[in-house]
Amino acid sequence: MSEITFIEPQKKDKKRCNVYVDGVFYCGIKLEVAIKYRLKAGMQIEKSALDEIQLETEKSQAVDKAMTHLSASMKTKKQMRDFLVKKGYTESVINYVLNKLEYYKLIDDFAYCRAYVNSVSGKGKRALEADLLKRGADKKAVEEALNETEEDITVAFAVLEKYMRGKQISKESLYKGFKYLLSKGYGYDTAKSALEKFGGADEDY
């Protein structure tokens, strides 16, 4: 059994309050719900009971908030989970919302990864992979999306050409250009092919 140690109104929404259990923030809930269930500091309660209360009274509102958040741009499942956590929802509500969004294909890590890969230019596969993993995309979804695309040597050449602009062509500058392509996430073979196209075919890196 746990204890509700503190209940305080939320600063941004006076119709909601934050509930602290055993001295730690546990969830956000409507004030009217707190009153209805007579929640107060010092009350002994199972955390699962709070989960059930929030799930029953706020799941629809949580879905609406998630939909509004999605309206701005696509989100990975982790990004949506992080958003709902910050809103003060319990694991039960978060799982309910995520299951609902996945069922209707409103969140789909593979679709997110594919859209991201197709929208970004000037980066190789390794850089794209790092970006997507940083956004919390499922690793398998990242791999599948990257497997659908090939690194474009023409784009890599354009990146190299821009980097080399204004620089004197030398073995040293070409090597730095080669390393620059690697730093942009391009694979060795793609970077070498771009370098050869630029005129560094005789260089051995």
Side-chain angles (χ1 to χ4, degrees), residues 79-120:
Q79 286 174 330
M80 183 55 70
R81 178 180 288 279
D82 291 345
F83 169 77
L84 293 170
V85 167
K86 289 180 180 179
K87 289 298 180 182
Y89 291 113
T90 62
E91 192 69 15
S92 297
V93 174
I94 291 172
N95 288 336
Y96 173 85
V97 174
L98 292 178
N99 288 337
K100 183 77 75 174
L101 296 177
E102 284 186 308
Y103 178 79
Y104 289 106
K105 300 294 184 182
L106 295 172
I107 54 171
D108 182 331
D109 275 16
F110 173 66
Y112 179 95
C113 293
R114 184 166 55 185
Y116 182 82
V117 168
N118 291 334
S119 67
V120 175

Side-chain angles (χ1 to χ4, degrees), residues 44-60:
Q44 299 294 311
I45 192 170
E46 294 287 354
K47 290 181 179 179
S48 59
L50 282 173
D51 291 351
E52 291 176 8
I53 290 171
Q54 195 191 60
L55 179 62
E56 180 62 30
T57 60
E58 303 206 6
K59 60 186 180 183
S60 295

Side-chain angles (χ1 to χ4, degrees), residues 6 35 49 51 62 70 138 142 149 153 159-161 181 203-204:
F6 190 53
I35 294 172
D51 291 351
L70 275 173
D138 176 74
V142 174
T149 186
I153 295 176
V159 172
L160 176 63
E161 189 176 41
L181 286 178
E203 306 303 336
D204 184 19

Side-chain angles (χ1 to χ4, degrees), residues 3-11 13-45 50 53 58:
E3 180 181 323
I4 296 178
T5 48
F6 190 53
I7 298 178
E8 64 175 359
Q10 292 185 356
K11 294 180 180 179
D13 187 348
K14 299 301 182 182
K15 294 182 179 180
R16 292 176 61 79
C17 59
N18 294 326
V19 179
Y20 292 78
V21 176
D22 297 333
V24 178
F25 171 76
Y26 187 70
C27 68
I29 207 165
K30 294 178 183 176
L31 277 173
E32 62 185 61
V33 172
I35 294 172
K36 176 182 177 181
Y37 288 91
R38 299 180 181 180
L39 303 179
K40 59 182 179 180
M43 180 179 180
Q44 299 294 311
I45 192 170
L50 282 173
I53 290 171
E58 303 206 6

